[in-house]
Amino acid sequence: MVAQISPQSADASAEPALGLTDEQVNRVFRALADATRRDIVRRTLTAEASISELAADYDMSFAAVQKHVSVLEAADLVARTPKGRERIICGNPETIRRVQELLGHFEQIWRSRIDRLDAFLSERPE
Amino acid sequence: MVAQISPQSADASAEPALGLTDEQVNRVFRALADATRRDIVRRTLTAEASISELAADYDMSFAAVQKHVSVLEAADLVARTPKGRERIICGNPETIRRVQELLGHFEQIWRSRIDRLDAFLSERPE
DNA sequence: TTAAAGTACAACCAAATGGTTGCACAAATC
DNA sequence: GATTTGTGCAACCATTTGGTTGTACTTTAA
């Protein structure tokens, strides 16, 4: 067994991928793995809202929603800006775009495999 | 506080989104929130491999890798097919594509907001 | 100036996660 | 037939997660 520090693609140590740290990518996917949090992202992408406005629509405590927002903020999927006594939450489309792009790379990896297979097959017509 | 059964977009109960259940989406994002698992997806998207082949490259027990594969399989990011005494793992590009598409919807939501804002601004030139 | 609204944060808890070891079993090899 | 190889699975453990309640602080409103 080869002890492998970084389980990432074998090229480099801590790869930036698309400017996103390995840990950042973890945080983003983790944050998106919850329906309430996805809903918050959707809502705050459409129109900014305060935490209590958000909390009013979910069947859980204010503190719980507050925690969800914190998770989203840590993942940079959402920004929290003070405005008087409330905190305005608004979604960050840039992070969404980056993750989408990252998944695009996966598809590309797969596609290149198919291309290699095609090339191999066309080399030997029968 | 309005008790809300589904925290999803307010339109329907259990929305199919892109054919993916809410729980399925949870599973997929959760599965992708781990560098080792992302690496396994990449590898098996490039070329299929047995579990022990995979396990040889990570600094953890066979059972741990086995568990990671199970998580990926439950998320339909990977398929496990028996072949003799070994299980061949290969990545599923279709699920990747679906999640990518789902994120595309998020971007679209944001874009439509900007469009509405633009329309609003052009209505009142000053 | 008091009260209410909005937030922050700590303490606590049950359940899930991510790892381990150990054992059982089927398939390939000697 | 005996052994090794590849797998599945259970039991266990530490840590994280996702929720709760309670308390305190700041800003707005009465």
Side-chain angles (χ1 to χ4, degrees):
Chain A
M1 183 205 287
V2 179
Q4 192 165 302
I5 283 68
S6 165
Q8 285 292 112
S9 51
D11 47 7
S13 48
E15 91 304 357
L18 310 88
L20 291 170
T21 302
D22 227 48
E23 259 313 304
Q24 261 293 342
V25 177
N26 288 356
R27 264 182 246 126
V28 176
F29 279 125
R30 191 102 201 40
L32 288 174
D34 179 284
T36 301
R37 286 196 291 258
R38 284 195 299 275
D39 195 58
I40 291 177
V41 171
R42 255 189 295 260
R43 285 190 54 178
T44 57
L45 228 34
T46 304
E48 58 187 28
S50 72
I51 303 184
S52 48
E53 278 172 351
L54 291 173
D57 288 340
Y58 304 105
D59 194 15
M60 65 184 73
S61 71
F62 173 83
V65 175
Q66 211 175 11
K67 279 194 185 182
H68 281 307
V69 170
S70 291
V71 171
L72 290 171
E73 194 187 17
D76 207 30
L77 279 163
V78 130
R80 179 196 322 228
T81 34
K83 185 175 188 178
R85 79 178 141 182
E86 43 186 45
R87 300 294 179 273
I88 300 303
I89 312 299
C90 56
N92 179 4
E94 176 61 17
T95 301
I96 300 284
R97 206 189 51 72
R98 284 193 184 180
V99 177
Q100 208 182 345
E101 204 173 321
L102 194 151
L103 291 177
H105 284 195
F106 277 76
E107 240 201 304
Q108 198 178 323
I109 285 170
W110 171 73
R111 219 168 280 285
S112 73
R113 171 201 180 179
I114 300 301
D115 288 349
R116 282 199 310 277
L117 189 61
D118 283 352
F120 172 76
L121 290 178
S122 64
E123 264 178 25
R124 37 177 64 208
E126 210 53 42
Chain B
M1 186 205 283
V2 179
Q4 193 167 300
I5 284 68
S6 165
Q8 286 292 111
S9 50
D11 48 7
S13 48
E15 92 304 358
L18 307 90
L20 292 169
T21 302
D22 227 49
E23 259 314 304
Q24 262 292 343
V25 177
N26 288 356
R27 263 180 248 125
V28 176
F29 279 125
R30 190 97 201 43
L32 289 173
D34 181 283
T36 302
R37 287 197 292 256
R38 284 194 299 275
D39 196 57
I40 291 177
V41 171
R42 256 188 295 259
R43 285 190 54 178
T44 57
L45 227 34
T46 305
E48 59 187 29
S50 72
I51 304 186
S52 47
E53 279 172 351
L54 291 173
D57 288 341
Y58 304 104
D59 192 16
M60 65 184 74
S61 70
F62 173 82
V65 175
Q66 210 176 10
K67 279 193 184 183
H68 281 307
V69 170
S70 291
V71 170
L72 290 170
E73 194 185 18
D76 207 31
L77 279 163
V78 130
R80 179 195 324 227
T81 34
K83 185 173 188 177
R85 78 179 140 182
E86 44 185 48
R87 300 296 178 273
I88 300 304
I89 312 298
C90 56
N92 178 4
E94 176 60 18
T95 301
I96 299 284
R97 209 188 48 73
R98 285 193 184 181
V99 177
Q100 209 183 343
E101 205 173 321
L102 193 151
L103 291 178
H105 283 195
F106 276 76
E107 239 200 305
Q108 198 179 323
I109 284 170
W110 171 72
R111 221 167 278 285
S112 72
R113 172 202 181 178
I114 301 301
D115 288 349
R116 281 200 308 279
L117 189 62
D118 283 351
F120 173 75
L121 289 178
S122 64
E123 262 178 27
R124 35 177 66 209
E126 213 54 38

